[in-house]
Amino acid sequence: MPVDDDVGRGAQVVGERTGLHPAQRRYAYHPGFNGPAQVTGGPGTGRTVVALHRVRHLLRTGREGDPILLTTFTNAMAAALRDSLALLLGDADAHLLGRVDITTVDSLAARAVREARGDSPKPLSVAAEKSAWTRAAAREELPWTEQFLSQEFRNVVLAQGLRTPEEYLRCVRRGRGTQVGRVQRARLWRVMERFTADLASRDSATYTQLCDQAARILAEGAPRYRHVIVDEAQDLHPAQWRVLRACVADQADDMFLVGDPHQRIYDSRVSLRSLGVNVRGRTARLRLNYRSTEEILRWSASLLDGRPVGRLGEDDDDGGRDSLRGYRSQLHGRVPVARGHGSQDEELRALVEQVRTWIEQDGVKPSEVAVCARFNTLVDAVITRLRRERIPAVAVKDNPGPDVSGVRVATMHAMKGLEFRCVAVVGVTSAVLPFAPQVTPAETDPVQHQSDLLAEHCLLFVACTRARDALAISWSGERSPMLDPVAG
């Protein structure tokens, strides 16, 4: 049933965390899909709410005792899903909550490895991984950086689950723009073998390695769940998808996926069909935004319009492209404000005035205001400045509960999956957006370069679309070129 959701033009907007519009009900309460199903939609279209209602439907209609996995990308989002599902089930169905395992894919993978071997390798930090690649490549004179080696290992070897040098020599390196001949592949494989051996000797592993190991372990056992519901599906790596596929038998209503390719902020090219997750004929798209005003929506969408964004679950070979055309809101409000400042001190002073206006003049609670920046250094400076001006402020990374008063301050990545009445995005300069160390040089790999740039644009898009009523963007120094709308 491919469906383009264009229902509900005159409908009342649903504002509750677990409210469901009739236009979404036919997906959440579909009597039964003959295999995996997928719902996509932009920010604020209620994808996560649809997923929660799908869980409730399966709990009520499935066999008693059937376990369900509800998974997402971060621990904070998993905690939010747990709270929202408890609210949705209420007292009458509270006893059903015990059948739902709510966790991240990485946590699930770590648990599977720990159960199989008695412990789990220590996760590797970014800095430690770079050092490990430096050690591994020391004996080879290779023309590539540690970043290239890491991407080759993650996006080719682990993505395809390659086990032998012969498999690597024969594989098609999808999504990679640098040609690598047979002799170079043999040398690269030796470096990757030394890398994995080095990590094993230190009892460490990258998160993607851990998922690769867990997928093999889970595939050898019986399925653990009757249903798997996946939130934020756009950012999962193929190794993470193999974990999920191994957790549930291939049958009716086995997997239900929700996501938005325009919010893909991690480099994960995936062909779901090649991983045994075939949603063809069972896809739907939501286009009505229930969160943000039309003014915020249009301004944010202009940051991405014209950029080719692959459809959820389709890699470059599938050729599909997603679009924000037709995406709309029935809410209206103020146009977002974007202002530059001569120094960071001036920018923070203006931020204080803006936050104070939202709280004192607009009557917005401090906990309904968020400020986000690219990195923690500016996050910490914002918290310090707000508190100095007697405005309560808390870090999102500290997981403040709903009863904790204070403006929420976070990195752009940590804003994923959250929403607030008012949002200020600060420090949007050319030095951090795009952030050069995160973008592969075009001369190294032109395909990866474009993919990395798109991820940077998506990150800014995610930050701006957390706002419901008001959005303010600021910078000091040179304005980020990513704030300029893409020419149509």
Side-chain angles (χ1 to χ4, degrees), residues 81-303:
L81 285 177
R82 190 174 296 108
D83 292 342
S84 295
L85 183 59
L87 180 65
L88 176 62
L89 293 176
D91 294 337
D93 291 326
H95 62 287
L96 299 174
L97 191 59
R99 284 171 48 194
V100 187
D101 185 7
I102 306 175
T103 187
T104 66
V105 185
D106 287 343
S107 295
L108 176 66
R111 186 198 311 167
V113 172
R114 188 164 52 249
E115 291 172 355
R117 53 171 265 185
D119 60 2
S120 180
K122 299 183 293 293
L124 199 66
S125 68
V126 174
E129 181 180 356
K130 183 177 180 180
S131 297
W133 282 117
T134 301
R135 292 192 298 272
R139 303 180 204 171
E140 302 280 349
E141 291 186 7
L142 297 175
W144 300 302
T145 63
E146 293 88 352
Q147 182 187 39
F148 177 92
L149 296 172
S150 175
Q151 290 170 342
E152 185 77 6
F153 185 56
R154 183 179 188 273
N155 295 340
V156 178
V157 175
L158 294 180
Q160 299 185 38
L162 305 179
R163 300 283 178 262
T164 67
E166 292 74 24
E167 289 178 335
Y168 181 56
L169 285 173
R170 293 193 304 266
C171 79
V172 177
R173 298 167 59 253
R174 296 181 182 89
R176 304 291 280 163
T178 304
Q179 296 298 316
V180 179
R182 290 181 60 84
V183 173
Q184 290 174 315
R185 288 198 195 195
R187 296 173 68 191
L188 280 170
W189 186 264
R190 289 197 297 270
V191 171
M192 290 186 281
E193 280 187 325
R194 286 199 289 271
F195 174 80
T196 55
D198 182 18
L199 264 56
S201 70
R202 300 168 189 270
D203 197 27
S204 295
T206 67
Y207 284 106
T208 312
Q209 275 184 294
L210 199 60
C211 288
D212 182 59
Q213 295 173 26
R216 282 182 280 165
I217 292 169
L218 291 167
E220 294 173 355
R224 298 191 173 198
Y225 304 97
R226 174 59 185 86
H227 309 283
V228 171
I229 313 297
V230 185
D231 187 30
E232 299 292 338
Q234 73 276 353
D235 276 322
L236 296 184
H237 184 274
Q240 294 174 309
W241 281 112
R242 290 199 295 273
V243 168
L244 298 179
R245 181 68 275 182
C247 280
V248 61
D250 188 357
Q251 57 187 313
D253 276 326
D254 52 353
M255 304 183 80
F256 188 84
L257 327 174
V258 300
D260 175 16
H262 293 92
Q263 297 186 64
R264 186 184 289 121
I265 60 176
Y266 296 97
D267 181 30
S268 296
R269 300 180 185 88
V270 177
S271 173
L272 289 179
R273 185 173 49 187
S274 70
L275 296 167
V277 184
N278 188 0
V279 299
R280 181 158 294 179
R282 294 178 295 274
T283 64
R285 181 179 298 174
L286 303 172
R287 292 189 179 277
L288 185 59
N289 182 298
Y290 303 100
R291 176 202 298 157
S292 304
T293 64
E294 179 71 9
E295 289 75 15
I296 291 174
L297 179 62
R298 293 273 69 82
W299 194 93
S300 301
S302 72
L303 301 173

Side-chain angles (χ1 to χ4, degrees), residues 324-341:
L324 290 170
R325 290 185 179 88
Y327 180 42
R328 67 200 187 283
S329 172
Q330 295 176 334
L331 302 172
H332 288 279
R334 288 167 284 186
V335 174
V337 176
R339 292 195 180 99
H341 302 275

Side-chain angles (χ1 to χ4, degrees), residues 19-84:
L20 191 68
H21 190 281
Q24 302 162 321
R25 184 168 294 274
R26 65 173 179 259
Y27 314 136
Y29 291 96
H30 191 282
F33 295 101
N34 188 29
Q38 173 182 285
V39 174
T40 62
T45 54
R47 303 178 317 277
T48 299
V49 175
V50 170
L52 290 168
H53 278 266
R54 188 65 185 167
V55 172
R56 182 169 76 165
H57 172 70
L58 295 172
L59 286 170
R60 288 177 168 179
T61 61
R63 293 180 305 176
E64 186 176 351
D66 276 349
I68 297 176
L69 173 65
L70 174 57
T71 187
T72 189
F73 202 76
T74 68
N75 290 324
M77 293 164 70
L81 285 177
R82 190 174 296 108
D83 292 342
S84 295

